[in-house]
Amino acid sequence: MIFKDLRGYTDKLKDEGELLQIEEEVDWNLEVGAIIRRSYDLKAPAPFFQKIKDYPDGYRIFGAPAGASNKPDRYYVRSAISLGLKPDSTASEIIEEYIKRKNQPIKPVLVKGGACKENILIGEELDLEAFPAPLLHQGDGGRYIGTWHIVVTKDPDTGWVNWGMYRLMLHDKKSMGILLTPLQDIGSMYYQKYESRDKPMEVAIAMGTEPVTSLIACSMLPVGVNEADIVGGIRGEPIELAKGETVDLDVPANAEIIIEGEILPYERKDEGPFGEYTGFRAGKRSPKPVIHVKAITHRNDPILPVSCMGVPVDDSHACMTLTMAGDILDELRKQGLPVKMVYLPPDSACHMVVVSTRVPYPNFAKRVATGVWATKAGNLSYYLIVVDDDVEVTNMNEVLHAMCNKCHPDRGIFKMPNSPGSPVLIPFLNPQERLIGNAARVLFDCTWPKDWPDEDTPSKVSFNVAWPKEIQERVLSKWGKYGY
């Protein structure tokens, strides 16, 4: 099932028992954030708040839009449903389907109007505070209206349109702060192609899109690839876009809320701190670029999607780890490497990659490492574990077993100091490293050395290896007769 808008997705989640409609009035000041965070901790259904303190009826908040589930065999159910897959699809199944569809892009179609145009506000009508942006965590620098959305910008030289997700903090009724770092696509676009030329950069923010759009905004697609085309490929049909009212940008026509504006060159205003995806508040309050709002359009009874980031697992971990794994796996295969699967454990906050592979020659894990860290998605991961292809990488029990029994504590660990890192947000960096984005990486080679003789290579003792196939089949066929 492919969803036309966010409302179709919330209806489906409700049908699947993955959404809880909360009629009790809740306070945007910390209470909303606490409920969403608690829902992550329990992997409970997504909270859908119907009554927000200080706001009129009809203004709603949809929390934990892509969080994990506590239902048996349905951990990734929200990502699976977003892609129209079976609710019990495994991580590997979702990753493989993502790769297949993203390599079959479908361009968007432009439509007149769209549900996002039901209300059009310009000039004195502009008021960002009319939407129930929550203060999510105690200690945050302000109310964050943008935590699960897309930001649309255009490269002035090539015309490439980038969709990404970058946090947005309210300053006042007509301006927001945005976190832009030079390592981000939007950051390099703004600093190198707009600010350096003393030109403002137009932006459009779409909140409450159908689910694939937000999922792809979190992915790590190469520069020059239009996310809108990939959204079409994932959906199997084009996404509908509408022209902006005041900016030369197209936006998802059925989004709940559209905010149009521009970022002026060299203007900064203090933004943050914010409880981030790492599970820590690592960045300090500091001057950041400012979005000046020129127009707001929205649906009647608008829904504001909210992700309350923190200690994993929340939306960013549950869905980003899948798309990042897919992007890395796809690239490694295109390099001709005999990799079987790639997985980013959600609890790692996207900072660990596990790769299973056939080992064709000595030191092959180092070749895998160069391939992973050369990808856009892999460049954000600081810990890499390479295992043999008999290890199920989505099963961390198997990964830990391989790591602690096949990785030599000296010869099997390879450190790469002074590597580029994401500034501001990474907790393990010291203040100076965080300032300049100087990090490190490490490879754990958990494969058997290729130059060991076969007779000296330990044999795995597991059910599917240490018994003949006929014995395995006999035991499985008679399992119930044994009394289990």
Side-chain angles (χ1 to χ4, degrees):
M1 178 180 182
I2 297 300
F3 303 101
K4 186 177 180 66
D5 58 16
L6 180 66
R7 300 182 188 201
Y9 175 60
T10 57
D11 288 344
K12 178 62 173 176
L13 289 185
K14 187 175 182 179
D15 291 343
E16 294 287 340
E18 287 294 332
L19 179 145
L20 179 65
Q21 195 159 299
I22 298 177
E23 302 294 343
E24 180 80 10
E25 182 181 88
V26 295
D27 196 332
W28 55 265
N29 185 4
L30 296 178
E31 185 179 5
V32 162
I35 296 170
I36 297 174
R37 174 45 49 182
R38 181 64 172 160
S39 78
Y40 294 135
D41 294 344
L42 300 177
K43 297 179 177 58
F48 193 9
F49 305 102
Q50 303 298 300
K51 297 179 181 178
I52 315 297
K53 183 181 177 182
D54 301 330
Y55 287 88
D57 290 345
Y59 282 68
R60 296 162 290 169
I61 289 177
F62 173 43
S69 175
N70 61 14
K71 294 182 174 59
D73 302 320
R74 297 178 66 155
Y75 187 92
Y76 292 104
V77 62
R78 291 176 214 174
S79 292
I81 288 175
S82 296
L83 272 62
L85 300 177
K86 296 183 301 181
D88 59 354
S89 296
T90 65
S92 296
E93 290 170 338
I94 296 171
I95 290 168
E96 292 286 10
E97 189 66 21
Y98 166 75
I99 293 173
K100 182 176 76 174
R101 295 189 196 177
K102 81 161 187 167
N103 286 320
Q104 299 174 340
I106 299 175
K107 290 193 173 298
V109 295
L110 197 63
V111 299
K112 291 184 178 180
C116 71
K117 305 286 190 179
E118 289 175 346
N119 299 272
I120 300 176
L121 309 174
I122 298 176
E124 293 304 313
E125 297 178 299
L126 295 175
D127 185 1
L128 292 171
E129 295 171 356
F131 302 98
L135 180 65
L136 286 170
H137 320 90
Q138 182 173 302
D140 282 355
R143 299 170 65 178
Y144 277 80
I145 191 170
T147 55
W148 196 254
H149 57 286
I150 69 165
V151 178
V152 183
T153 54
K154 183 184 294 185
D155 187 300
D157 297 332
T158 66
W160 167 55
V161 176
N162 177 56
W163 288 8
M165 190 178 293
Y166 317 98
R167 74 190 195 200
L168 304 170
M169 189 190 85
L170 291 185
H171 284 315
D172 51 46
K173 293 184 176 182
K174 296 184 180 182
S175 68
M176 301 176 287
I178 182 170
L179 175 63
L180 300 184
T181 71
L183 290 180
Q184 298 167 317
D185 290 336
I186 190 175
S188 62
M189 189 183 292
Y190 170 69
Y191 294 118
Q192 297 177 28
K193 297 194 174 187
Y194 283 95
E195 187 170 71
S196 64
R197 302 171 187 175
D198 202 25
K199 293 176 56 178
M201 182 172 73
E202 291 187 332
V203 298
I205 298 111
M207 299 175 175
T209 63
E210 54 76 41
V212 173
T213 294
S214 299
L215 186 147
I216 296 304
C218 293
S219 66
M220 298 290 173
L221 298 171
V223 171
V225 174
N226 288 332
E227 280 84 1
D229 299 354
I230 305 303
V231 169
I234 300 296
R235 287 163 46 85
E237 62 181 42
I239 186 169
E240 295 181 347
L241 302 181
K243 287 190 173 295
E245 297 293 317
T246 60
V247 294
D248 184 25
L249 297 168
D250 300 331
V251 297
N254 294 312
E256 295 288 325
I257 304 165
I258 301 292
I259 301 172
E260 303 175 12
E262 62 181 6
I263 304 176
L264 301 179
Y266 303 107
E267 180 186 15
R268 304 290 187 268
K269 190 172 182 178
D270 281 353
E271 184 270 352
F274 183 62
E276 266 291 351
Y277 77 98
T278 61
F280 294 92
R281 189 180 292 109
K284 297 180 179 179
R285 189 171 184 83
S286 60
K288 310 256 184 11
V290 179
I291 298 175
H292 292 276
V293 178
K294 299 167 68 176
I296 299 173
T297 71
H298 67 86
R299 297 187 65 165
N300 296 329
D301 298 331
I303 302 170
L304 178 67
V306 171
S307 176
C308 184
M309 296 179 181
V311 174
V313 174
D314 56 49
D315 310 281
S316 58
H317 315 114
C319 79
M320 276 189 71
T321 51
L322 297 175
T323 58
M324 290 174 69
D327 292 335
I328 295 169
L329 179 58
D330 190 32
E331 180 58 33
L332 294 180
R333 286 174 174 169
K334 288 176 179 177
Q335 293 177 21
L337 302 183
V339 293
K340 181 180 179 182
M341 181 51 60
V342 172
Y343 185 62
L344 281 72
D347 293 283
S348 74
C350 306
H351 293 164
M352 176 183 285
V353 177
V354 187
V355 180
S356 60
T357 183
R358 178 173 59 82
V359 180
Y361 50 78
N363 291 316
F364 184 67
K366 293 180 181 177
R367 173 64 184 90
V368 173
T370 60
V372 170
W373 287 330
T375 67
K376 186 176 177 181
N379 189 49
L380 295 178
S381 296
Y382 306 102
Y383 301 88
L384 173 60
I385 299 175
V386 179
V387 297
D388 288 303
D389 58 7
D390 63 344
V391 176
E392 174 50 63
V393 294
T394 63
N395 184 332
M396 292 311 294
N397 292 330
E398 291 193 29
V399 173
L400 186 61
H401 174 256
M403 184 174 179
C404 296
N405 291 279
K406 296 172 72 172
C407 180
H408 192 282
D410 181 20
R411 296 191 302 272
I413 301 175
F414 306 92
K415 295 189 293 184
M416 183 184 291
N418 301 315
S419 302
S422 177
V424 180
L425 301 181
I426 305 304
F428 59 71
L429 301 181
N430 65 36
Q432 178 62 21
E433 291 170 331
R434 204 173 293 147
L435 180 66
I436 63 176
N438 183 32
R441 306 183 194 283
V442 61
L443 162 66
F444 296 91
D445 184 353
C446 306
T447 64
W448 292 128
K450 193 65 177 175
D451 55 356
W452 284 10
D454 289 344
E455 63 270 20
D456 290 334
T457 301
S459 300
K460 193 172 186 178
V461 182
S462 65
F463 177 79
N464 61 345
V465 173
W467 283 266
K469 202 69 176 175
E470 61 270 20
I471 297 296
Q472 295 178 41
E473 293 173 355
R474 184 193 309 168
V475 169
L476 292 174
S477 66
K478 297 174 65 177
W479 195 248
K481 292 182 180 179
Y482 298 143
Y484 287 100

